[in-house]
Amino acid sequence: MEKAQLVFVPSPGIGHLVSAVEVAKLLLTRQHQLSITVLILNHSFFDSKIHNYVESQRASSSPISNRLGFIDLPKDETEIFNLSSFIERQKPHVKEAVLKIIQSESGVESAQLAGFVIDMFCTSMIDVANEFGVSSYIFYTSGAAFLGFMLYVQKIHDEEKFDPIEFKDSNTELLVPSLVNPFPSGVMPSALLSGEWLPPLLDSTRRFGEAKGIIVNTFLELESHAIESLKMSAVYPVGPILDVGSDGRNTHREIMQWLDDQPPSSVVFLCFGSHGSFDEDQVKEIAYALEHSGQRFLWSLRRPPPPGLQASPSDYEDPQQVLPEGFLDRTVGIGKVMGWAPQVAVLAHPAIGGFVSHCGWNSILESIWFGVPIATWPMYAEQQFNAFEMVMELGLAVEIKMDYRKHSGVIVNCDEIEGGINCLMKHDSKQRKKVKEMSEKSRMALMEGGSSCSWLESLIKDVMNNLA
Ligand SMILES: *[C@@H]1O[C@H](CO)[C@@H](O)[C@H](O)[C@H]1NC(C)=O
Ligand SMILES: *[C@@H]1O[C@H](CO)[C@@H](O)[C@H](O)[C@H]1NC(C)=O
């Protein structure tokens, strides 16, 4: 059999990059005639964690690492970040990198270029794949229901001048093919209400139809209705694709030891994603809720970046400056407040019984994998949509809020938070039972003969057929 080569162009957000690399590894493990090169786009807008992540991947020596390469593209020095024009400017760099790959493969055992795997935000890279005369596959790092939602919104935007911003205040509902329930206007995801993000999202979505396939980080048993609704396109649900290899024992020994001492499923974990943070008033409401509820807790509390800066939250030197006076003393032994948290290691711990989450898609997949129910508190991007899907469509989460938005000025009061947390931590809730069942299904999906494993096989077959 001939050797084949794929080029991956992930969006340089750390969450997107890590799942793309994990998909690459799955493909390489199952097809030994395949090699993959991942192109790393570079702009200071993106997370500094990316560099360390890529270096750690380069340094790893697994049986597949000699078939997995990384190429750094030159840093883009424009000051203001604009996704569409950034991707546009990367095209010549991508082309040059791929030319080099092809030329260096000109030996007897040369690997032929079999296609591009392009992040959901970078679909204009299809132009470069076309120049090389090869197929494009999209890698979709959110769920199938949101993919269906975007395809629907793009259609009614183009055909009926649908405007998400007007719709948000209309107090009506949308009938979306990828959803069982009507979608309420108030839950319109933040990404679609932003004049900055809506146009590039629509542009990207318009080109999905040009791809030979769409690889989605989900699994059939989780989103069967949504996947079924997409059956006109070549959709490959190959998830859940997670990076669960990391362990918090080394970096967060004290926290992990504290968890060791807590009863099973007794601790509620609060964590709001890499861009999640609250103003002081909201922090205090969360603190009152936790204290009142009497539940054991582990709270990842982050400091917002200075106003106006496109920066990520950081850790407080002393969280007491934003917490209610005496809070830490009164909750000693019951709860812990920390900065950045090793989320996967925490969710994997048997002491964790519930997760107050911003509902980023990767976080949702992680909580399902470890069988931990969620209480929803979306912040940005498509998270409001994900919260709706988890609560209303799938019954896997309880609601604190589905329509919260970062920077909206809205404050969720302590009673509402406490109610959500108490509901989340009930031992016999139907959500807990359901999430345990879904956890087993998520693991089965990836096993030999499981749904995702079979989809991965058909994807590999499709890729290898490109050479024929
Ligand atoms: C981006 O480029 C800068 C400057 O060349 C470099 O220091 C940094 O490590 C690069 N980042 C990534 C993620 O490659
Ligand atoms: C980003 O760039 C695109 C294309 O270059 C342009 O049409 C758009 O207006 C820009 N967006 C913003 C928010 O400046």
Side-chain angles (χ1 to χ4, degrees), residues 40 42 50-51 72 75:
I40 306 297
N42 189 339
I50 289 175
H51 178 75
D72 296 312
K75 184 169 183 182

Side-chain angles (χ1 to χ4, degrees), residues 128-169:
V128 183
N130 290 345
E131 283 190 48
F132 285 97
V134 296
S135 304
S136 299
Y137 300 84
I138 305 294
F139 180 47
Y140 206 77
T141 56
S142 193
F146 186 63
L147 168 58
F149 179 74
M150 278 310 301
L151 287 166
Y152 180 69
V153 167
Q154 177 250 312
K155 182 170 180 285
I156 58 177
H157 173 273
D158 293 357
E159 291 174 3
E160 300 162 26
K161 299 197 175 359
F162 172 80
D163 177 357
I165 295 168
E166 272 173 32
F167 172 71
K168 177 187 158 259
D169 298 320

Side-chain angles (χ1 to χ4, degrees), residues 158-340:
D158 293 357
E159 291 174 3
E160 300 162 26
K161 299 197 175 359
F162 172 80
D163 177 357
I165 295 168
E166 272 173 32
F167 172 71
K168 177 187 158 259
D169 298 320
S170 67
N171 207 4
T172 53
E173 295 174 325
L174 281 184
L175 298 176
V176 183
S178 65
L179 295 173
V180 176
N181 298 283
F183 184 76
S185 51
V187 194
M188 183 53 78
S190 294
L192 301 194
L193 301 175
S194 141
E196 187 183 342
W197 286 95
L198 181 63
L201 279 176
L202 292 173
D203 284 345
S204 263
T205 307
R206 271 183 206 109
R207 302 200 61 177
F208 287 167
E210 293 172 48
K212 192 156 184 236
I214 306 182
I215 307 163
V216 188
N217 193 1
T218 187
F219 56 104
L220 187 62
E221 291 76 7
L222 177 65
E223 293 194 280
S224 48
H225 171 82
I227 291 167
E228 186 72 8
S229 80
L230 293 166
K231 63 175 175 256
M232 301 310 288
S233 340
V235 169
Y236 296 90
V238 300
I241 294 147
L242 307 170
D243 181 19
V244 291
S246 55
D247 182 14
R249 290 271 158 199
N250 301 323
T251 49
H252 291 79
R253 185 178 298 264
E254 191 215 324
I255 296 285
M256 300 313 283
Q257 278 171 353
W258 181 78
L259 284 174
D260 290 345
D261 292 336
Q262 309 307 313
S265 301
S266 68
V267 177
V268 56
F269 174 46
L270 299 89
C271 188
F272 299 91
S274 49
H275 297 282
S277 60
F278 298 105
D279 293 339
E280 196 172 325
D281 291 344
Q282 185 63 76
V283 168
K284 290 203 162 64
E285 294 295 319
I286 296 174
Y288 296 138
L290 286 171
E291 197 174 342
H292 266 172
S293 76
Q295 305 281 358
R296 293 167 205 269
F297 66 86
L298 176 61
W299 180 5
S300 169
L301 173 62
R302 314 290 317 279
R303 179 215 296 266
L309 268 189
Q310 274 188 335
S312 299
S314 55
D315 289 343
Y316 286 103
E317 271 155 43
D318 177 10
Q320 289 196 76
Q321 65 189 89
V322 287
L323 290 165
E325 197 164 338
F327 174 80
L328 291 178
D329 296 329
R330 291 191 301 277
T331 55
V332 73
I334 297 175
K336 283 232 173 253
V337 174
M338 67 187 301
W340 184 87

Side-chain angles (χ1 to χ4, degrees), residues 33-47:
Q33 301 303 316
L34 187 66
S35 53
I36 291 177
T37 306
V38 183
L39 305 184
I40 306 297
L41 278 51
N42 189 339
H43 188 285
S44 53
F45 176 74
F46 296 111
D47 207 317

